[in-house]
Every structure is written in C-alpha cells, then in structure tokens.
Amino acid sequence: MTIFHGTKKCFSVLLMVLAILVLIPSCKKNGSQSSGAAKEIHPQTGVYYSLFVRSFADSDGDGVGDFNGISEKLDYLEKLGISGIWLLPIYPSPSYHGYDVDDYYGVNPQYGTMQDFENLVSECKKRGIAVMLDITFNHSSSTNPWFIASKNPSDPHRDWYHWISKDDGRYNLNQKMWGHNLWNECLGSYYAGEFHDGMPDFNLDCQELREELKKVLKFWTEKGVSGFRFDAAGHIYDKVKMPADFTDSTKSAADFWKEMLDYLKSINPSTYNVAEVWDNTSVRAQSLAGLDSVFHFDMGDNYILGAIREHSAGNNNLAHVLENDFVAYRKYNPGFIDAPFLTNHDQPRIAGNLKGDVASLKLAAGMYLLSQGVPFVYYGEEIGMMSGTKDETKRTPLLWGNGDRYETTWAAEADCVYNTNTVNIKDQLKNKDSLLNYYRRLINFRNSEPAFNGTLSAFDTGNGAFSSWTMENGSDKVLVIHNVSMEAQEFSLPDGYSSTPIFQGNNVKKSGEKLNVPAQTTVVFKAN
C-alpha cells in the first residue's frame, strides 16, 4: 500500500510537471506576440505629440532628424503617455519646413526612405501610437511638376491653380498679402500665391484636382496613417484670390473638407483629422460642418497665458469661453472633437512667455491637458524649451542631453541662443519634480481616467483664483480645479465628490471642513 500511494503521488506530480512544461512555452509565445504585435489604436482619443522630424532625433549623424531617429525614440514617447504623433511635413520640398510640397507621394530624402517611414508606422502600431501627417491642400511648391505643367495654358494641369490674365477685371492685380503681392506674373499670365510666390495656390473648384488629392489621402492611409492635419485649411477659399462676385468662402471651404473627409472615412471609418483654422470662434464653428476637429486657437496663448500672468481666473473665464465655444461648434457638428494646445510651430513657445518658470509651466500643462478633446503637445514643450519670434527659432533641435548621439544639430546655434538655461531630457528624467516628469504623470493620469473622454462643463466656485470645470463621460465624472493665484486658497468641496484627490500637482491639505489648495496647483476630485 505504501508503495502504491507513493507511486500514485509521484505520478500526480509528474502530470503536474508535464502540464507546466507544456504551458511555459505557450506563455512565452503569447508574451512574445503581445510585445511584437500591433496594439489597438484609437486615433480619436488620447494625447498627440507634434514633432518636426528635422529637429527630433538624428539616427545617421548628418545633423538632421529622420524617421529612424523617431523609431529609436518611441519608448520616450510611449512612457510620456502619447497615443498619437503629428509629423510636420515629410514630403520632398525646396524649403527646410516642407510646407511647399514637390511630391505628395514621396518623402524628404533627408528624412530617410519610404521603407524607413513604413517601418516607423509599424513600430508605432506596436505601441498603439497613431500617426498623423501634416498636409497642405491650399498650395503646392512652385517646383512641383503639377505647377510647372500648369504654366502651359493648354496643359490639363492649368486649371489646378489660380491662373488669370492681366485684363481679367474680376481680380485686383495689386492685391497685397502680408506685405507681398498676391498675384505673380509668369509668362504673361498671373497666378495666386497667398503665402509666397513659391507657394502657388490650388484651384479647388477643379474636380480633377479634388480626385487627385483623394488619391493622395488614400495613398498615405494605405501606408498605415491614421489621419491628417490640414494646413491652412481656413484659407483655401479666401475671397482675395476668388472672383469679385464670390461671396461665401467659409461655406465653400466646409463643403470641400466634407468631401475630403467623407472619402477618408469611406476607406478608414476611425480616421481622425484636425485642421488649422486660425480664426475666430464663429469661423471655426462653421468650418466644423466639414471637419472632425479644429485647433483651439486663443486657448493657450490668450486665456491660459493670460490667467497665469495675471494670477486670476476672472469669473472662471477659461471654462466659460470653452463651454460657449463648444455650444457654437455643436450647431455645425454635434460630434466635433476639440483640439486644445498651448502653442505650435508658428507661435513663440510658451516657456519664453512665462520666463521658464517651472511652476507656471506645470499649471499651464494642466489647464489644457485636462480639458475636453484631444490635446496636442508641441515637442520640447514638456521640457520648457524656448524660442524667438522667427519660425526657425520655434523649430530648433530637441534637447536630449549632452552625449546623446540622436540630438540633431541642423539649427543648434539657435538653441544656444534661446535654450542656454533649458534643462535637457536626460537631466529632467533624473529629477522627480521636473517639468518633464510632471508631464509624464499628468498625461498618464489623463489616459487612466475615462471622464476625460467626455464633456466639459464650467464649475463656478465664486473664487477668482480658481479656473474650474467638470469632465463627465457616462457614469464617470471628475472636478478639475486650477489655483492660478500666487497664494494658497481654501475650497469647499461640493457634495458627491471624494475628498481625497485622484491627482494633485502639490499636496492639498484639509483645513477643517475645507481644503487648502496651494498656489499654482492643479487638483482633481472624482465623483462618488
């Protein structure tokens, strides 16, 4: 009997060992698949990171950023909490910035090959990061083969651009735009170049051109791109370049964008697209009749910057402005997605405006990252990079740190001027209280809380120090409070919220029945 029971016991143990041996390879296999396979991408949610390829990361040592450099630095973006990257123009172009495109189906050879780009998209997918391309349908470059062909009046491309004759009385040949001539003479005719004579404007009334632009969108979508940032979207039907009897530029633009987005969604229903409509709320709202999303101009460089500089939220001004803007947006697009940001590649960096004050920059970060929509972080903003007023100074190399071989050098002299005192990424990662680590904590918190995929409503405290609102998504609701003043403020938490913050920039203390919110501090409470 002893031998029998012992044998039975050993046999049982043997079966268990065999089962474990069978399971171990299976677990390893599943783990490998998880790390190498693509994660699900949700382009219409999360936080995007706007980066200038030329300035982000250089993999081959030529001083210019490239696709492979971005691929090598994706771990940095993933840990930051980024769910999408917006790449400033990547196409062949005669300029450093790329907004004058030579070939809409190619990539800038300084940035790498098409294979390098495809590899970047693949690496992003492994991390669940969407890729958004910057593209302009307002104009091309003057060296684009389409425009060169259009110089011939009998060429089919002629109608792709705004060409007029000298005696066409419907136009003003002396029209000026931002200090230069709108109309430019070429071979006895004139073409429109609203931004520059090297950027001839497309004639988007031409249906053949529209069909070609749809092919461009399809080409990049099939490469794995999740959406587009449409440059100069509010200018495509500006009255100055249209005939004298033309009346409704905003509606014509919205109709064009609706045609483009309807096509995009027919090939990728989850695509997310955002447009640059640098105009007032009314025009942005009307534009949304044809768009998913428009950038929320004035939010960062006006209302947020103003509140922090003045140390006052007024009558909860920011929250009410946002709330009222959203009412206007819904009239034209009930499903709009807001795109909040602080500053972009066309604006002086906010760190310069706030003189590099880390507490102020942390406060600014919370005020746009914890609002409604899909926020966009401009590269370098997370470490407090500064700039001048010229465009080149706003797009200087990202400061990875001394000795990092990926740091680009194409405009290093400008960084030496404006970012002498800016602490680099390497050093900020070592400091738990740095601006970079605050961005990481803030973005990852936002990603973890479902309420931030919901709707903003102003929440008035009656205290001019507080910029405050609620975010609500189904049964999830949070209260967001920003003390923009330079002094601690007492706050009575309304019923229905847990008194323990789920996020706090600085430690909030209890003072009897009230809470004491430190100066320049963001705090978030969750509804029970």
Side-chain angles (χ1 to χ4, degrees), residues 62-220:
D62 66 354
V64 175
D66 46 49
F67 300 131
N68 290 337
I70 301 172
S71 295
E72 291 294 327
K73 292 293 189 179
L74 285 178
D75 284 349
Y76 169 77
L77 296 177
E78 186 176 16
K79 290 175 181 176
L80 187 58
I82 298 302
S83 59
I85 55 173
W86 154 25
L87 303 180
L88 274 64
I90 65 168
Y91 322 99
S93 168
S95 68
Y96 88 96
H97 52 73
Y99 281 101
D100 42 352
V101 178
D102 279 347
D103 178 8
Y104 283 88
Y105 297 97
V107 296
N108 187 333
Q110 289 186 301
Y111 294 170
T113 65
M114 184 63 78
Q115 181 60 51
D116 294 333
F117 173 75
E118 292 170 353
N119 179 66
L120 169 60
V121 174
S122 176
E123 291 299 316
C124 284
K125 284 186 175 180
K126 290 177 184 178
R127 295 167 172 79
I129 296 175
V131 176
M132 172 182 284
L133 292 188
D134 202 329
I135 200 163
T136 175
F137 286 173
N138 180 71
H139 55 262
S140 73
S141 74
S142 59
T143 48
N144 188 305
W146 297 346
F147 180 71
I148 293 173
S150 79
K151 293 179 181 181
N152 180 352
S154 62
D155 190 280
H157 292 88
R158 182 73 167 187
D159 198 37
W160 288 27
Y161 294 86
H162 286 281
W163 283 101
I164 63 171
S165 62
K166 185 176 182 179
D167 57 356
D168 192 333
R170 299 174 301 164
Y171 302 90
N172 177 12
L173 285 180
N174 297 316
Q175 179 70 51
K176 297 283 187 180
M177 289 298 299
W178 301 301
H180 65 265
N181 291 328
L182 169 64
W183 296 102
N184 304 277
E185 192 275 335
C186 180
L187 301 176
S189 298
Y190 292 80
Y191 68 89
E194 191 170 351
F195 287 95
H196 186 258
D197 61 359
M199 296 179 173
D201 288 3
F202 283 128
N203 170 26
L204 295 174
D205 278 343
C206 175
Q207 193 58 43
E208 290 78 11
L209 173 59
R210 291 191 180 205
E211 295 307 314
E212 186 67 33
L213 297 179
K214 290 175 186 176
K215 291 179 184 178
V216 170
L217 296 176
K218 182 179 181 182
F219 175 84
W220 292 108

Side-chain angles (χ1 to χ4, degrees), residues 14-36:
L14 179 60
L15 287 176
M16 290 175 64
V17 170
L18 287 172
I20 291 170
L21 289 173
V22 170
L23 285 171
I24 287 174
S26 174
C27 291
K28 286 183 177 179
K29 183 178 180 182
N30 289 338
S32 175
Q33 287 178 337
S34 176
S35 61

